[in-house]
Amino acid sequence: ENPSRGSMSALASLRACWPGREAEIDQLWSLLEEPDLALPLYVYGPSGVGKSGVVRGVLDALGTRYAILDCVTYCTPRSLFEAALSQFNHHVPRAANSYVGWSDCDSPAAFVAGLQEVIGEYGRAVLVLENALELEKRSELRTLLLSLQTLCHSAAVSVVFVAEAPWEEAHTACAFASLCSVRFAGYTKAQLERILALDAATVAPELEAAYRDFLPIFVAYFWEICRDLHELRYSCRAAFHQSMQPVRDGLLQLTDKRALLGQAKECLQRMRLRVYVREAAPQRWSESAKAAESLKPNPGTLSLPTSSKWLLVAAYLASRCLPRMDAALFCSRQKAHFSKRAKRARLSNEEQHNFSLQRLLAIYAAVQDGGDPTPSTDLLTQLSSLLHMRLLGRVSRPEELDTVRLACTAALETVQAVAKDLAFELGVYLDE
């Protein structure tokens, strides 16, 4: 078969699969078809307008080797590099290969070397990065990705960034490197109706005509309040199913178009109040509330190791007492209970703030009358358990290892039950 004819056939098939995106498909096709002309691409537009699907479809139609990665999922350069090389080589971690990637990639140089091998074997490699706005926080990684063609000494490697909005000060962020933008606008009413018409094949054959009559009404109701295609397709199916309920019950016939039109409008008015099940039915709300209530930890049945209980009590005190009053409250426990300064240090039960890990361990040692404040392995394990149970929460960023800050999220009733088990007088430290 003539290659040009095959390309035109693939392009026509792609256009048919994505109605309303013909211009964007043609633009991406022309930009990605010729490897020597490939520039880094920035594809942006609202959520649910077909950005990732069209990019994937164009690359599949061109027969290009590619890898698609999410910048949120792969939050470190190493994980992103290793996942990209695994996808380029169609390598899937599984039990047979001990769940390891294609190769270790602990530096940008190793990633570039791996890309050069991919290019040498397959001739072309396109790296697609979704949620590219996350790269605004990682300027070094973004600069590396924009420079891949230069680092690999080949135009056969291309990078496609996919995001919902452009980078702020894009030219400055890219150091004025060549970056071609492709914008995906929201669908028009006519385009949306064409796309939803493709779902007519999913309804019963006898309802297909009714579904096509229903579409213009649905688009008129929902086009202005929702532009996400995924939500619209879900809402359209749900609304049509509800509007056909009188037909299933035998109250109306498919030929009663005027009555069906009135039924459809009533359903759409109700559904407009909750797009994509954002408003649950009252029965579901009550069931969800009961389920959530049953999952709450019962203070009387909370089972924790002794060291975890002391940590929880110390965390609660650290969150309720000001750091400048630690000496009055904890350094001399017997005197602090009755001193005027300690009484002024007591806070309202509703007032709380975060605290450092070092302060938590110091209070933990103080409330046990001479405990060891050194962070042992066992103590840190118990602390991790409290975080996992969501009795404590971490408020500092994961990369801030030197200044770990925490917050106590446990309810007062839970802490009081734990303090009672320890025979610890919690009330003397509170404003009671």
Side-chain angles (χ1 to χ4, degrees):
E1 186 181 2
N2 191 327
S4 60
R5 255 185 215 180
S7 298
M8 294 303 295
S9 175
L11 184 57
S13 176
L14 194 59
R15 287 174 177 171
C17 291
W18 294 93
R21 289 290 171 239
E22 294 82 1
E24 290 83 355
I25 290 172
D26 291 343
Q27 187 177 4
L28 286 171
W29 187 282
S30 62
L31 290 170
L32 293 171
E33 186 179 19
E34 295 293 336
D36 294 337
L37 300 177
L39 294 173
L41 302 183
Y42 195 90
V43 180
Y44 68 97
S47 174
V49 295
K51 302 183 297 295
S52 300
V54 169
V55 169
R56 186 190 296 269
V58 169
L59 293 173
D60 283 333
L62 291 172
T64 303
R65 181 72 56 143
Y66 65 88
I68 297 184
L69 303 172
D70 192 320
C71 294
V72 175
T73 303
Y74 300 98
C75 55
T76 63
R78 177 168 184 165
S79 63
L80 189 143
F81 296 158
E82 293 180 353
L85 293 179
S86 294
Q87 284 196 35
F88 280 131
N89 291 280
H90 290 178
H91 173 82
V92 180
R94 52 171 64 93
N97 52 41
S98 301
Y99 297 100
V100 297
W102 176 258
S103 64
D104 290 333
C105 197
D106 55 358
S107 67
F111 179 54
V112 170
L115 280 179
Q116 290 174 332
E117 292 180 6
V118 171
I119 296 169
E121 185 170 353
Y122 303 109
R124 182 85 187 279
V126 178
L127 179 60
V128 181
L129 298 164
E130 297 182 331
N131 289 314
L133 284 176
E134 290 293 318
L135 295 175
E136 284 186 325
K137 310 169 188 174
R138 299 143 71 181
S139 57
E140 293 183 2
L141 177 59
R142 178 171 58 182
T143 303
L144 171 69
L145 295 170
L146 287 166
S147 307
L148 281 181
Q149 288 186 348
T150 303
L151 295 172
C152 294
H153 305 290
S154 173
V157 57
S158 303
V159 183
V160 180
F161 302 96
V162 182
E164 293 187 11
W167 284 327
E168 292 184 8
E169 301 179 355
H171 293 294
T172 306
C174 301
F176 297 93
S178 299
L179 183 67
C180 184
S181 298
V182 180
R183 179 175 177 268
F184 277 61
Y187 290 108
T188 64
K189 287 185 178 181
Q191 291 171 342
L192 184 59
E193 193 171 331
R194 287 173 57 197
I195 295 169
L196 295 176
L198 297 177
D199 292 335
T202 63
V203 302
E206 64 273 13
L207 298 177
E208 187 172 340
Y211 178 78
R212 294 186 183 278
D213 293 337
F214 173 80
L215 284 181
I217 309 169
F218 174 82
V219 172
Y221 268 79
F222 275 80
W223 183 74
E224 291 185 355
I225 63 173
C226 179
R227 299 297 179 89
D228 191 305
L229 183 59
H230 306 298
E231 298 183 9
L232 287 169
R233 291 181 68 183
Y234 176 90
S235 299
C236 184
R237 293 178 186 179
F240 180 71
H241 180 77
Q242 290 182 18
S243 68
M244 290 293 106
Q245 187 62 43
V247 176
R248 290 191 294 272
D249 294 341
L251 302 176
L252 292 176
Q253 300 294 324
L254 289 174
T255 54
D256 302 331
K257 292 191 176 182
R258 185 182 295 273
L260 287 175
L261 177 62
Q263 178 69 19
K265 288 182 177 180
E266 290 180 8
C267 292
L268 291 174
Q269 287 172 357
R270 290 195 302 267
M271 288 210 57
R272 213 159 45 166
L273 298 176
R274 56 179 193 274
V275 178
Y276 203 41
V277 294
R278 288 173 185 157
E279 179 187 314
Q283 182 180 0
R284 290 189 178 181
W285 270 117
S286 60
E287 292 175 357
S288 300
K290 290 178 182 177
E293 191 68 27
S294 65
L295 292 176
K296 288 184 179 180
N298 187 348
T301 60
L302 188 63
S303 178
L304 291 173
T306 303
S307 56
S308 292
K309 292 180 179 180
W310 282 113
L311 273 174
L312 183 59
V313 170
Y316 188 83
L317 293 174
S319 69
R320 295 310 195 277
C321 302
L322 295 175
R324 66 173 180 270
M325 295 300 182
D326 284 354
L329 285 168
F330 305 115
C331 287
S332 180
R333 186 180 174 195
Q334 300 300 325
K335 295 180 181 179
H337 288 177
F338 306 103
S339 68
K340 293 181 180 179
R341 190 180 182 191
K343 290 180 180 179
R344 290 197 302 268
R346 299 169 183 169
L347 296 182
S348 169
N349 295 342
E350 298 178 357
E351 193 173 349
Q352 62 175 323
H353 46 269
N354 57 58
F355 47 88
S356 66
L357 176 61
Q358 290 80 3
R359 182 168 175 249
L360 169 64
L361 296 177
I363 295 176
Y364 167 79
V367 295
Q368 294 187 82
D369 291 330
D372 186 6
T374 305
S376 63
T377 304
D378 180 67
L379 198 59
L380 294 178
T381 301
Q382 301 303 330
L383 181 63
S384 176
S385 299
L386 293 176
L387 289 167
H388 180 71
M389 297 174 67
R390 298 188 179 180
L391 296 171
L392 299 183
R394 179 167 179 170
V395 297
S396 58
R397 290 181 292 184
E399 60 267 21
E400 295 178 349
L401 300 180
D402 295 334
T403 56
V404 176
R405 297 194 68 82
L406 306 167
C408 182
T409 56
L412 174 60
E413 294 79 9
T414 302
V415 181
Q416 286 176 332
V418 169
K420 185 177 180 181
D421 288 344
L422 297 171
F424 178 78
E425 297 179 14
L426 184 67
V428 299
Y429 293 92
L430 304 176
D431 187 14
E432 295 180 343

